[in-house]
Amino acid sequence: MSHTKLEIVTAGVGGQGTVLASKLLAQSALIGALPVRTAETIGMAQRGGSVLGHIRIGAFESPLVMHGQADVLIGFEPTESLRALPYLREGGTVVTALRTIAPNRGAAAAAPAAASAAALTGRTCPAPLEVLRELALDGRIASLVEVEQDALLAQLGSSRVLNVLLIGAALAYLAPLSASSLDAALAAVVKPAYLALNRQALQLGRLGRLA
Amino acid sequence: MTVAYQLMMGNEALAHGALRAGVRVVCGYPGTPSTEALEAVAALVRTWAHKGMAGGRGEVHVEWSVNEKAALEVAAGAAFCGARALVTMKQVGLNVASDPLMTLSYLGCKGGLVLYVADDPGPISSQTEQDTRQFAAFAKVPVLDAATPEDTWRMVQEAFDLSERHRLPVIVRGTTRVCHGSAPIEPTESYVPHPTSGFEKSPQWVTFPPLAYRMHCMMPDRTRAIAQEFDQYEGNKLCAWDVKGAPRILERSVPPVPVTNGVVASGISWSYLIDALALLGSQQTSLPPLRLLKIATPYPFPEGLASTFLNGLEQVLVFEELESCIERELLALVGAKHRDVRVLGKLSGHALAAGENSIETLCRQLDVAFAPDAGAPAAPAASAAPAAALIAHADAVDLPARPPVLCAGCPHRASFAAVKKALRRRPATCSGDIGCYTLGNAWPLEMVDTCVCMGAGITVAQGMHWAQPDVAHLGFVGDSTFFASGITGVVNAVYNQVPLTLFVLDNSITAMTGAQPHPGTGIRSSYDASPDDARHAVSIPAVLFALGVRHVVECDPLDFKKAVAAATTALDYDGVSAVVFRAPCVTLATPQPPPSYDAQACTLCRSCITQLGCPALTEQDDAIQLDQSLCFGCGLCAQVCAVGALQNHEDKDGRP
C-alpha cells in the first residue's frame, strides 16, 4: 500500500469551472494509478455561490478534506481563497487568482453608503490578498503563488481556461501529479476542440510563458 | 498505461451497476443530488446506439418521467412483466412517489424493482432533511445505504437480486457526498439484458382490502427473513480497531475479542469513521480499542449481527446522518435482550442532531464519548489544532457572503421584474415553488413570498385568496414543475372559481438540476435531439386553455414593455388568468453583445441595479460597472434605463 498522500482544495464562485478542475486533478491521479476521491459542490450554489472542490489522493475512505489538512489550496478568486483557508495545513501552498468577483449582496447593494460600494466591489478591510501575503511572510503559508490571470488569459484569448491556468501554476506543488499526467488528463477530460487551448493554458500557468 | 477504471460520481457508478445488472427500464425525475444517475444511463445508451451495440438497440428504455409518482408506476409496470426496472429521485421526490410505493410493498413485483433515492444532509440543495431509511421502514421495504461510490455500484446490482428473491421493491439510498463524490469505478462497456418472463395475470396484482390484509399478516415473517439474510450480508461489516493501524474485519461466527466500547456507523459516516480512526491512530490518542459495526442495511435491521456486536460491550456510539434510525434499533434491541449497554448518539446528545457529519465532528465525538475523562468539555481533535490559527485569520476578515443568484441574462429575472412593475402599489402576495426561480426571493426582486414544494405556489395562492380576498394572490411555476405537479392545481382554481393570476416561467428546460428536457420540449433523454421532437412537445398555453383558463397569454419576458403589459392585463382579468413567460435558459441561448454604457448620460439613479439585481451590474467610482465577462447581452438593463445611458445595439430592436 502506497503512503503517498496529497490533499487539494479548490475554491471559487459557481460557474468558474472548479468542477472541471477537480475532475482534471483526479483524472491525473488515476492515470498515475493513485487512489483518489473527490467531492464538489453541485446544485443551487453553482448559481454564483461559493463552491468548493475536494481532491484526496491516497488511501482515504471519504471524499472531504479536513480543516488543516490540505497541502494545496487553489483559489479562483481572492475572497474565496481566504474563505477556504481553514482547509490548508500549516505550511501549505496557496495558488490564487487575483481578480475579485463582486458578491451579489442583496440589500447592501441598495444602501447608498460607502459600505455598499465595499460590498459591491468585494473590497473588505483588510483585503483578502493582504491577509494571505502576511501569512506567507510569517511562513504559515509556505508558498503563495499569485496568478495575474487577466494578462495571461488575454494572451490565450479566452477567459474560459482559468481553471487549467491555475492548475498549471500549482503544478510544482502537486507531486506526485506531473505535467505529463495532467496533460494526459486533459486529453481524457476536455473536448477535442478545446484541447489545444487547454494545453496552452497548462503550459502558460506552469512556465509563465508559451513555448 | 491503460486506465481500466474510470473516475465516476456515486450517481454514475450506480448507472453503470444497473446496466451491468441488465436493467430494462429506467425512469426518474431530476432532483439534486440524484440527477446524474439517470443522465449517466441515458448517456451510455446513446453511446451504444451510436455504435450499434447491444443496449443501444432499444433494449433499454430510459425516460425522464413527468414526476416521481409517474416514474415509479412506469417502472412497476415493467417489473410486473418480469423486467428489471430502476427509478431515480431525490428524497423529497419519494414523497411524491410514496402513493405507489406504499401499495407496491403489498403487491410486490416480479422483475427486480429498485428505487435509487438520494438524501441531502445539510441540506445543500433541498427543502427538507428527511431520511429515506425511515421512509423504507415506513413502507416496509428493504434499504441499502451506500457509504462510497463503490457501494452504489455494487449495491444496485445486489438490490436487483434481493428484489427478485423476495419479490418486493428495494431502495438504494445515497447521500450528497456519496452521490456527488467521485472514485475510480469499473465501467460497464457492454450490455446483456436480464431475461424478462412476461406478465402473468393473477389476483396478486390487484389490490383489494382482503389481499391487503393477507399481505400485511405476512409482512413480519417477510421482514424477519430479510433481516436474517442481512445478518450474513457482506456489506454489513464487523471490525476491530486496536488504536494502531486500520480496522480489521472480524469473522462473524467467532466470538469477538472482549472490549467494552463499540462504534456503529451507517452510510458516509462509516467512511468518515475509517478516516477519523486512521488519523487518530497516527497521533497520540487516548481512545480505547473499539469494536466497529458498519450497517449497510438499516432496514430491516440485522439484529443477529448487531447482537454479536453488542456482546460484552458497555457503551456504543452511533454515527448516522439525518434521523436516529440505527440508534433507535439498537435501543430497541438492548431493551428486548435486557442488555446493559449505553447507546449514545443523536438522541443522547452525543452526535449531531441535524446536518452533515465530517471527520472533524467524529473525532470530537469519539473523544467526548471514549476519552478517559469522558464528560469533560469537547476537546478538539489533536489534528485540528495546527489549523486553528489559520482559521482565525480567515475569521478575522469579514468575508462577504456569496448567496446564489439568478444568472446574468436569466429570463426569470425579466419575468419577476415585469410582474413587479405591473403590480405597482397593488397589494399582492407571490407564491412560488422549487426551481431556479426560488431565487426570485432575493433582493431586489423579492417576488417569492412562499415556497413549500413542487407546484404549491398555484394552490397556496388559492388558499390565501379564501383567507384574504381583498389582496391579489399570484402563483408562479416553472415549466418542468408545471408538468410535474402544477396542472391539478390549475384545475382546482378553475373549478373553484378562484381569481388566480398564474405566471408560468418557461425557460424550455429543467434548469436548477443541470438542464434536463421535459414534456414541453419533446426531447427525450436517451435519444439525440431531432426536428421531430417539436411534434411531441406538450404546449403549456394549450394545456391551460384546455383546463378552462380563458385568459392565456404567451409572451417573451425579455421584451420588457410587452411583458409588463401582459402581466397588467392578466392581473386585471376577472377569473383565472395565465401568462406564459417564454424565453430560453442561458444554458440554451446564445450570448449577445453587452449593451453600451454612456457614463455622461447616466444619472446614477441605479434603477438598473435596484430593479434587476443582475450580477453583471454593479456601481463603483460613480458609474455603473458592466462586467463584460458575466453579461449575457439579454438587453434587459437597457430597457429599464430611463435615460438611455445603457443602450442595446440598434439592430437589436430592444432585445438582442
Side-chain angles (χ1 to χ4, degrees):
Chain A
M1 174 67 68
S2 151
H3 290 282
T4 309
K5 176 182 115 39
L6 175 69
E7 299 194 63
I8 310 166
V9 166
T10 61
V13 179
Q16 276 193 304
T18 53
V19 174
L20 185 73
S22 297
K23 211 172 185 173
L24 275 172
L25 292 164
Q27 184 69 31
S28 169
L30 198 58
I31 286 166
L34 300 163
V36 58
R37 292 187 184 276
T38 71
E40 292 99 27
T41 315
I42 293 171
M44 192 179 249
Q46 279 183 297
R47 307 275 175 271
S50 302
V51 291
L52 280 178
H54 301 251
I55 302 100
R56 306 184 87 197
I57 297 165
F60 296 109
E61 190 77 11
S62 64
L64 297 179
V65 175
M66 245 182 110
H67 277 180
Q69 293 290 320
D71 301 291
V72 181
L73 164 62
I74 302 179
F76 285 55
E77 199 270 354
T79 318
E80 297 311 316
S81 300
L82 187 54
R83 202 192 305 277
L85 194 62
Y87 288 98
L88 194 71
R89 68 171 165 78
E90 187 85 23
T93 297
V94 177
V95 177
T96 184
L98 296 185
R99 188 184 166 83
T100 303
I101 297 176
N104 208 282
R105 248 213 138 166
S116 81
L120 282 171
T121 56
R123 266 192 246 129
T124 46
C125 195
L129 211 50
E130 298 306 316
V131 180
L132 295 174
R133 283 173 184 160
E134 265 175 45
L135 287 168
L137 278 178
D138 290 353
R140 312 285 309 282
I141 294 174
S143 307
L144 174 64
V145 181
E146 300 180 15
V147 180
E148 295 271 8
Q149 83 253 44
D150 285 355
L152 295 169
L153 291 172
Q155 221 178 316
L156 292 164
S158 168
S159 57
R160 304 261 164 200
V161 286
L162 174 63
N163 44 18
V164 179
L165 185 75
L166 290 171
I167 289 175
L171 197 56
Y173 306 93
L174 294 179
L177 305 186
S178 65
S180 65
S181 70
L182 270 160
D183 187 76
L186 276 177
V189 170
V190 174
K191 283 188 187 146
Y194 299 107
L195 186 54
L197 172 67
N198 279 279
R199 282 189 159 142
Q200 282 191 323
L202 188 68
Q203 191 183 58
L204 189 60
R206 188 159 69 97
L207 307 171
R209 61 183 161 78
L210 289 171
Chain B
M1 68 173 282
T2 24
V3 179
Y5 279 53
Q6 282 176 16
L7 192 74
M8 288 188 207
M9 279 186 202
N11 286 339
E12 296 168 302
L14 180 112
H16 281 254
L19 285 165
R20 181 173 291 253
V23 70
R24 291 284 309 278
V25 173
V26 183
C27 315
Y29 188 78
T32 311
S34 72
T35 314
E36 297 81 5
L38 189 137
E39 286 185 318
V41 174
L44 264 177
V45 168
R46 268 201 311 273
T47 306
W48 289 335
H50 290 161
K51 293 180 177 170
M53 287 169 62
R57 301 193 207 111
E59 300 93 331
V60 189
H61 171 75
V62 192
E63 68 169 49
W64 283 124
S65 306
V66 77
N67 62 28
E68 293 86 351
K69 171 174 148 67
L72 179 52
E73 290 159 354
V74 171
F80 287 173
C81 293
R84 289 193 159 181
L86 172 71
V87 198
T88 72
M89 64 193 75
K90 70 183 295 180
Q91 89 282 33
V92 288
L94 188 55
N95 301 341
V96 179
S98 63
D99 203 354
L101 178 65
M102 297 308 287
T103 307
L104 285 168
S105 171
Y106 283 65
L107 292 185
C109 57
K110 194 172 159 200
L113 177 56
V114 176
L115 290 85
Y116 175 54
V117 186
D119 284 359
D120 185 16
I124 298 168
S125 232
S126 298
Q127 61 267 45
T128 70
E129 266 206 312
Q130 67 188 67
D131 192 325
T132 294
R133 299 175 304 162
Q134 218 164 22
F135 217 124
F138 175 42
K140 295 193 162 78
V141 299
V143 58
L144 306 180
D145 192 8
T148 57
E150 292 90 328
D151 271 358
T152 69
W153 181 85
R154 197 178 42 249
M155 281 176 170
V156 70
Q157 301 177 59
E158 292 164 347
F160 278 118
D161 292 337
L162 182 68
S163 171
E164 281 163 5
R165 225 166 27 244
H166 294 278
R167 296 176 74 103
L168 85 171
V170 173
I171 297 176
V172 176
R173 178 228 194 194
T175 52
T176 305
R177 303 303 183 181
V178 174
C179 307
H180 285 166
S182 298
I185 302 286
E186 185 186 344
T188 298
E189 279 161 349
S190 62
Y191 174 82
V192 181
H194 193 80
T196 300
S197 50
F199 183 69
E200 290 164 81
K201 296 191 185 199
S202 150
Q204 174 198 349
W205 307 119
V206 186
T207 184
F208 270 115
L211 175 74
Y213 174 73
R214 276 203 314 279
M215 291 309 296
H216 197 190
C217 289
M218 288 166 61
M219 278 184 190
D221 285 343
R222 177 178 92 182
T223 306
R224 206 168 301 120
I226 300 172
Q228 282 168 3
E229 208 177 301
F230 284 169
D231 283 338
Q232 304 304 321
Y233 174 59
E234 275 193 13
N236 291 324
K237 291 190 170 80
L238 190 60
C239 300
W241 181 74
D242 61 1
V243 185
K244 284 180 289 294
R248 288 178 294 110
I249 294 198
L250 298 176
E251 289 296 326
R252 314 176 182 204
S253 49
V254 182
V257 182
V259 289
T260 51
N261 292 299
V263 182
V264 187
S266 151
I268 188 85
S269 299
W270 173 261
S271 304
Y272 294 143
L273 177 65
I274 297 299
D275 284 349
L277 293 177
L279 190 75
L280 294 170
S282 70
Q283 298 171 342
Q284 297 292 331
T285 179
S286 49
L287 285 188
L290 297 169
R291 193 179 300 154
L292 313 176
L293 179 63
K294 177 189 184 185
I295 295 289
T297 59
Y299 183 87
F301 191 67
E303 285 188 7
L305 180 63
S307 286
T308 308
F309 166 76
L310 287 173
N311 266 337
L313 295 186
E314 290 169 9
Q315 185 167 259
V316 172
L317 177 58
V318 184
F319 291 122
E320 53 191 327
E321 286 179 330
L322 304 177
E323 300 302 329
S324 43
C325 301
I326 311 277
E327 187 181 0
R328 284 177 194 278
E329 292 282 7
L330 285 171
L331 283 168
L333 186 61
V334 165
K337 306 254 174 194
H338 303 287
R339 297 276 182 87
D340 187 14
V341 184
R342 277 179 80 204
V343 178
L344 310 177
K346 290 169 182 282
L347 297 171
S348 68
H350 287 80
L352 295 179
E356 291 191 275
N357 288 336
S358 65
I359 303 176
E360 285 96 326
T361 62
L362 263 64
C363 284
R364 255 198 317 273
Q365 289 150 0
L366 284 164
D367 220 37
V368 171
F370 297 127
D373 54 346
S383 57
L390 288 174
I391 295 174
H393 275 279
D395 287 348
V397 184
D398 179 24
L399 294 174
R402 207 183 280 281
V405 58
L406 291 171
C407 303
C410 175
H412 296 334
R413 174 178 293 105
S415 303
F416 284 126
V419 178
K420 190 167 187 172
K421 184 148 190 172
L423 279 170
R424 295 172 187 276
R425 291 202 164 74
R426 194 191 306 231
T429 67
C430 300
S431 288
D433 64 38
I434 312 290
C436 282
Y437 49 98
T438 316
L439 298 173
N441 161 263
W443 182 92
L445 297 168
E446 297 174 320
M447 286 294 283
V448 181
D449 299 322
T450 76
C451 174
V452 181
C453 61
M454 296 279 285
I458 298 172
T459 23
V460 165
Q462 296 171 40
M464 287 183 152
H465 166 74
W466 297 122
Q468 223 179 327
D470 49 343
V471 171
H473 300 288
L474 284 52
F476 289 81
V477 69
D479 42 357
S480 186
T481 311
F482 176 80
F483 292 112
S485 59
I487 294 172
T488 47
V490 177
V491 175
N492 198 65
V494 171
Y495 171 46
N496 291 300
Q497 300 183 31
V498 193
L500 169 77
T501 313
L502 173 65
F503 295 95
V504 183
L505 310 180
D506 180 357
N507 59 357
S508 304
I509 202 124
T510 316
M512 182 58 101
T513 46
Q516 291 74 39
H518 61 66
T521 67
I523 299 167
R524 290 174 298 164
S525 62
S526 62
Y527 294 85
D528 295 323
S530 94
D532 197 41
D533 292 336
R535 277 202 312 127
H536 303 283
V538 182
S539 155
I540 295 175
V543 170
L544 287 167
F545 190 80
L547 296 181
V549 183
R550 286 296 162 260
H551 181 91
V552 182
V553 179
E554 188 172 324
C555 171
D556 179 353
L558 290 164
D559 190 338
F560 195 62
K561 265 195 192 130
K562 279 192 191 150
V564 175
T568 307
T569 316
L571 286 165
D572 291 341
Y573 184 81
D574 185 17
V576 183
S577 61
V579 178
V580 180
F581 281 126
R582 188 154 197 225
C585 174
V586 291
T587 59
L588 298 174
T590 316
Q592 301 293 325
S596 61
Y597 174 65
D598 179 354
Q600 301 299 317
C602 181
T603 59
L604 272 185
C605 73
R606 302 183 184 87
S607 61
C608 54
I609 291 177
T610 58
Q611 279 189 53
L612 305 179
C614 175
L617 286 170
T618 51
E619 183 197 343
Q620 193 185 333
D621 306 329
D622 289 335
I624 299 300
Q625 304 291 328
L626 186 74
D627 186 331
Q628 308 273 335
S629 69
L630 285 177
C631 179
F632 197 77
C634 76
L636 187 63
C637 56
Q639 296 178 68
V640 303
C641 179
V643 296
L646 286 158
Q647 292 263 355
N648 284 321
H649 298 276
E650 276 177 15
D651 56 329
K652 295 297 180 197
D653 191 24
R655 147 123 215 241

mmCIF file of all heavy atoms in Angstrom, chain B residues 8 32 90 236 448 458 487 531 617 629:
data_model
loop_
_atom_site.group_PDB
_atom_site.id
_atom_site.type_symbol
_atom_site.label_atom_id
_atom_site.label_comp_id
_atom_site.label_asym_id
_atom_site.label_seq_id
_atom_site.Cartn_x
_atom_site.Cartn_y
_atom_site.Cartn_z
ATOM 1 N N MET B 8 -15.735 8.138 -11.417
ATOM 2 C CA MET B 8 -17.188 8.322 -11.518
ATOM 3 C C MET B 8 -17.753 8.836 -10.208
ATOM 4 O O MET B 8 -17.306 8.451 -9.132
ATOM 5 C CB MET B 8 -17.868 6.971 -11.788
ATOM 6 C CG MET B 8 -17.662 6.421 -13.157
ATOM 7 S SD MET B 8 -18.716 4.962 -13.333
ATOM 8 C CE MET B 8 -17.751 4.072 -14.555
ATOM 9 N N THR B 32 -31.546 17.248 -7.266
ATOM 10 C CA THR B 32 -30.216 17.208 -6.675
ATOM 11 C C THR B 32 -30.304 16.514 -5.308
ATOM 12 O O THR B 32 -31.174 16.891 -4.533
ATOM 13 C CB THR B 32 -29.672 18.641 -6.484
ATOM 14 O OG1 THR B 32 -29.862 19.345 -7.700
ATOM 15 C CG2 THR B 32 -28.217 18.655 -6.083
ATOM 16 N N LYS B 90 -34.712 12.302 -5.853
ATOM 17 C CA LYS B 90 -34.163 12.798 -4.604
ATOM 18 C C LYS B 90 -35.144 12.474 -3.485
ATOM 19 O O LYS B 90 -36.259 12.002 -3.742
ATOM 20 C CB LYS B 90 -33.867 14.290 -4.674
ATOM 21 C CG LYS B 90 -35.087 15.199 -4.726
ATOM 22 C CD LYS B 90 -34.669 16.647 -4.855
ATOM 23 C CE LYS B 90 -33.905 17.106 -3.594
ATOM 24 N NZ LYS B 90 -33.483 18.517 -3.711
ATOM 25 N N ASN B 236 -22.531 -5.500 5.445
ATOM 26 C CA ASN B 236 -22.534 -5.206 6.883
ATOM 27 C C ASN B 236 -21.238 -5.750 7.444
ATOM 28 O O ASN B 236 -20.962 -6.940 7.319
ATOM 29 C CB ASN B 236 -23.727 -5.871 7.568
ATOM 30 C CG ASN B 236 -25.039 -5.228 7.167
ATOM 31 O OD1 ASN B 236 -25.112 -4.011 6.969
ATOM 32 N ND2 ASN B 236 -26.079 -6.029 7.037
ATOM 33 N N VAL B 448 -40.864 36.167 -4.342
ATOM 34 C CA VAL B 448 -41.288 34.839 -3.883
ATOM 35 C C VAL B 448 -41.556 34.946 -2.384
ATOM 36 O O VAL B 448 -40.633 34.984 -1.590
ATOM 37 C CB VAL B 448 -40.219 33.762 -4.188
ATOM 38 C CG1 VAL B 448 -40.696 32.388 -3.711
ATOM 39 C CG2 VAL B 448 -39.923 33.716 -5.684
ATOM 40 N N ILE B 458 -49.216 27.554 -6.906
ATOM 41 C CA ILE B 458 -50.532 27.672 -7.555
ATOM 42 C C ILE B 458 -51.654 27.450 -6.548
ATOM 43 O O ILE B 458 -52.667 28.157 -6.562
ATOM 44 C CB ILE B 458 -50.629 26.628 -8.701
ATOM 45 C CG1 ILE B 458 -49.564 26.922 -9.760
ATOM 46 C CG2 ILE B 458 -52.021 26.605 -9.306
ATOM 47 C CD1 ILE B 458 -49.449 25.843 -10.836
ATOM 48 N N ILE B 487 -50.495 21.132 -12.895
ATOM 49 C CA ILE B 487 -51.739 21.076 -13.669
ATOM 50 C C ILE B 487 -52.964 20.866 -12.766
ATOM 51 O O ILE B 487 -53.977 21.551 -12.921
ATOM 52 C CB ILE B 487 -51.635 19.977 -14.756
ATOM 53 C CG1 ILE B 487 -50.556 20.392 -15.772
ATOM 54 C CG2 ILE B 487 -52.970 19.762 -15.459
ATOM 55 C CD1 ILE B 487 -50.210 19.329 -16.802
ATOM 56 N N PRO B 531 -35.545 17.239 -35.192
ATOM 57 C CA PRO B 531 -36.577 18.225 -35.520
ATOM 58 C C PRO B 531 -37.975 17.682 -35.229
ATOM 59 O O PRO B 531 -38.924 18.441 -35.017
ATOM 60 C CB PRO B 531 -36.382 18.446 -37.029
ATOM 61 C CG PRO B 531 -35.026 17.931 -37.342
ATOM 62 C CD PRO B 531 -34.715 16.866 -36.340
ATOM 63 N N LEU B 617 -24.099 43.733 -13.119
ATOM 64 C CA LEU B 617 -24.203 45.174 -12.909
ATOM 65 C C LEU B 617 -23.851 45.554 -11.483
ATOM 66 O O LEU B 617 -24.453 45.060 -10.534
ATOM 67 C CB LEU B 617 -25.635 45.647 -13.183
ATOM 68 C CG LEU B 617 -26.097 45.709 -14.641
ATOM 69 C CD1 LEU B 617 -27.593 45.949 -14.688
ATOM 70 C CD2 LEU B 617 -25.355 46.794 -15.394
ATOM 71 N N SER B 629 -17.484 39.976 -18.644
ATOM 72 C CA SER B 629 -17.306 38.524 -18.629
ATOM 73 C C SER B 629 -18.562 37.813 -18.130
ATOM 74 O O SER B 629 -18.769 36.634 -18.399
ATOM 75 C CB SER B 629 -16.109 38.146 -17.756
ATOM 76 O OG SER B 629 -16.400 38.415 -16.403
#
